[in-house]
Amino acid sequence: MRRLYTLILYLALPLVFARLTWRSLRAPAYRQRWGERLGRGPALPGRPLWIHAVSVGEVQAAEPIVRALLERHPELPVLITTTTPTGCERVRLLFGDRVRHRYLPYDLPGAVARFLDAVQPRLGLVMETEIWPNLFAATAARGIPVILANARLSARSARGYRRLAGLTRDTLRCLAGIAAQSQADADRFRALGASPDVLQVLGNTKFDVGFPASLREQAEGLRAAWGRDRPVWVAGSTHEGEEEEILAAHRRLLQRHPDALLVLVPRHPERFDSVAERLQGGGWQVARRSAQAPVTRDTQVHLGDTMGELPLLYAAGDLAFVGGTLVPVGGHNPLEPAALGRPVLFGPHRFNSAEISRLLLEAGAAFEVQDADSLAERLRVLFSDVTERNAVGERGAEVVAANRGARDRLLAWVEGLLGRA
């Protein structure tokens, strides 16, 4: 089965590079460093600890464990691989030159072999649900332990993997460990053939999110510049098809609060310019953050078209809408605004963060909306009662605090394996 999988990948390779070329028309970074995607690159010294985080969300999940490893083991070189340029940029913003970065090679035997020959990792952490048959088979053959860390597996994804039951089982059996986020995730991995001996339920490292000590001070200054006495809400990580609903809700909010400010942060940088053009074409009073345009009392939308500033923007706002949830993308991380004490709103499409969303909803720290009308109504309610809004935010912070600890549990497992590597 793995041979057939590999053959299909080889046949698809021209289409893969054609897609990279197409994406590079809007995001030039996609046409860079193609050799790394085929496993080519200089040798790295010191047998690094290797962490794979496909894109921005997974890099955020890896941040607590990476920071702890850099602090506890400063002598240990760390390599982080991503698949997307936005993930690469997030690695650079978070860690600078304290870690190395490469793109993960495509899951072809030759590319994987070249990558492992050059890197020679002593141990690998693959964040969340990235299952690569050739890569995992090659690491197992070389005796390189790999942990599927912060592992989640929705019922929908499990059904997909079940269609390739033999390949999935053999691939999972190559792993040295699976650190599941929840018991439900562990049960699904076990049903797909993962060995019970390597399965542990450690929780979600995203709950261990931390912020620089200066963040709140910076947020206070930013909010003062925007205006402390005006309603401000942040729509973060939005996608095509969501902005229309968000802007319709904001237009209704402006009827009640003419000085209300929406901070709109599209998920993908290649969409920044097109969203700005759409806003200006729609007659909105817009200030682009990248242009350092002043936010005045007349500004209706502040476009957050910079990288790495979403936590700061959440902290400066009164409440947050988390994108990727009004369209069937699966949603992004609602824990950042919750940890900052901000009420959280999201749509119905949350399969990427189902357990986190459930905890926030049950605690009364988040609200589900369906469309522009229900979003506008929830905004009206929250902005009409500051005491209740603050209470909702406090409940979110309590949920985050109560579920911390996955980072330390995972770190203990990693250090145990490092001692034997």
Side-chain angles (χ1 to χ4, degrees):
M1 179 63 78
R2 187 153 59 88
R3 290 180 179 177
L4 177 59
Y5 160 82
T6 301
L7 175 61
I8 293 171
L9 281 186
Y10 274 119
L11 293 174
L13 204 55
L15 295 177
V16 170
F17 280 106
R19 185 171 184 269
L20 284 180
T21 303
W22 178 79
R23 296 196 71 174
S24 75
L25 298 177
R26 291 195 297 175
Y30 275 100
R31 72 173 69 105
Q32 298 170 359
R33 299 165 60 184
W34 279 13
E36 293 179 14
R37 298 183 184 275
L38 294 173
R40 303 186 189 282
L44 296 184
R47 297 196 63 211
L49 171 67
W50 159 51
I51 299 171
H52 175 61
V54 59
S55 194
V56 174
E58 291 77 14
V59 173
Q60 291 297 129
E63 181 186 4
I65 188 72
V66 174
R67 292 202 184 279
L69 285 165
L70 291 173
E71 180 180 340
R72 296 191 192 188
H73 302 280
E75 79 291 347
L76 180 65
V78 174
L79 168 71
I80 300 180
T81 58
T82 66
T83 301
T84 67
T86 51
C88 170
E89 179 64 13
R90 192 63 183 146
V91 170
R92 186 189 67 79
L93 288 170
L94 286 174
F95 307 113
D97 60 2
R98 300 179 70 194
V99 305
R100 301 290 296 270
H101 173 270
R102 283 192 185 178
Y103 287 116
L104 187 74
Y106 295 128
D107 197 33
L108 300 166
V112 166
R114 285 189 291 272
F115 170 76
L116 294 177
D117 285 344
V119 172
Q120 297 187 23
R122 65 185 72 195
L123 184 145
L125 291 179
V126 177
M127 301 303 298
E128 304 206 351
T129 312
E130 289 283 299
I131 300 176
W132 299 110
N134 286 321
L135 178 62
F136 290 178
T139 54
R142 294 176 183 229
I144 301 168
V146 172
I147 295 177
L148 198 61
N150 216 45
R152 60 180 172 85
L153 187 65
S154 67
R156 175 181 176 181
S157 295
R159 286 194 295 271
Y161 283 117
R162 204 172 291 123
R163 296 190 186 99
L164 300 170
L167 181 62
T168 300
R169 181 192 63 247
D170 292 345
T171 302
L172 293 175
R173 291 292 174 111
C174 293
L175 293 167
I178 300 176
Q181 291 186 16
S182 69
Q183 187 60 53
D185 293 311
D187 291 343
R188 293 184 187 114
F189 278 111
R190 186 179 293 109
L192 288 175
S195 170
D197 296 338
V198 304
L199 266 169
Q200 293 189 41
V201 179
L202 300 188
N204 190 337
T205 61
K206 288 182 179 178
F207 283 103
D208 293 290
V209 60
F211 302 106
S214 61
L215 181 71
R216 291 192 184 275
E217 182 179 345
Q218 292 174 351
E220 283 291 318
L222 186 57
R223 182 54 184 263
W226 293 347
R228 296 185 187 279
D229 59 344
R230 67 192 302 191
V232 177
W233 64 295
V234 181
S237 298
T238 61
H239 287 255
E240 183 78 34
E242 278 185 317
E243 284 97 2
E244 292 81 1
E245 299 290 318
I246 290 165
L247 290 169
H250 189 54
R251 199 175 292 281
R252 287 183 55 180
L253 180 65
L254 288 169
Q255 294 172 4
R256 180 178 292 268
H257 300 280
D259 62 342
L261 177 66
L262 164 64
V263 182
L264 182 64
V265 188
R267 177 69 172 182
H268 297 115
E270 59 264 31
R271 297 187 59 239
F272 288 162
D273 288 341
S274 63
V275 173
E277 291 170 4
R278 188 179 308 165
L279 289 169
Q280 290 159 354
W284 294 93
Q285 296 296 314
V286 183
R288 294 188 68 164
R289 186 154 178 80
S290 64
Q292 299 182 331
V295 174
T296 69
R297 301 297 294 192
D298 295 328
T299 303
Q300 298 169 318
V301 181
H302 187 30
L303 182 61
D305 55 349
T306 55
M307 291 294 292
E309 289 198 307
L310 186 54
L312 172 63
L313 300 176
Y314 279 145
D318 296 312
L319 57 88
F321 171 84
V322 177
T325 57
L326 284 177
V327 290
V329 170
H332 299 294
N333 181 14
L335 287 178
E336 282 187 341
L340 291 163
R342 301 296 180 261
V344 176
L345 309 178
F346 40 52
H349 303 288
R350 304 185 305 276
F351 52 82
N352 286 335
S353 58
E355 181 66 13
I356 294 171
S357 301
R358 181 187 66 78
L359 290 172
L360 292 174
L361 287 168
E362 289 179 355
F367 301 95
E368 180 181 307
V369 298
Q370 301 294 325
D371 50 26
D373 290 340
S374 57
L375 175 56
E377 176 60 19
R378 182 54 62 183
L379 292 172
R380 183 194 67 77
V381 170
L382 287 170
F383 280 123
S384 67
D385 189 342
V386 64
T387 301
E388 175 59 17
R389 188 172 73 238
N390 290 339
V392 172
E394 288 171 6
R395 291 195 289 268
E398 290 168 0
V399 169
V400 175
N403 287 276
R404 292 185 186 275
R407 181 203 68 173
D408 292 338
R409 291 187 287 270
L410 178 59
L411 189 61
W413 196 356
V414 168
E415 288 178 326
L417 288 173
L418 282 173
R420 298 195 295 269

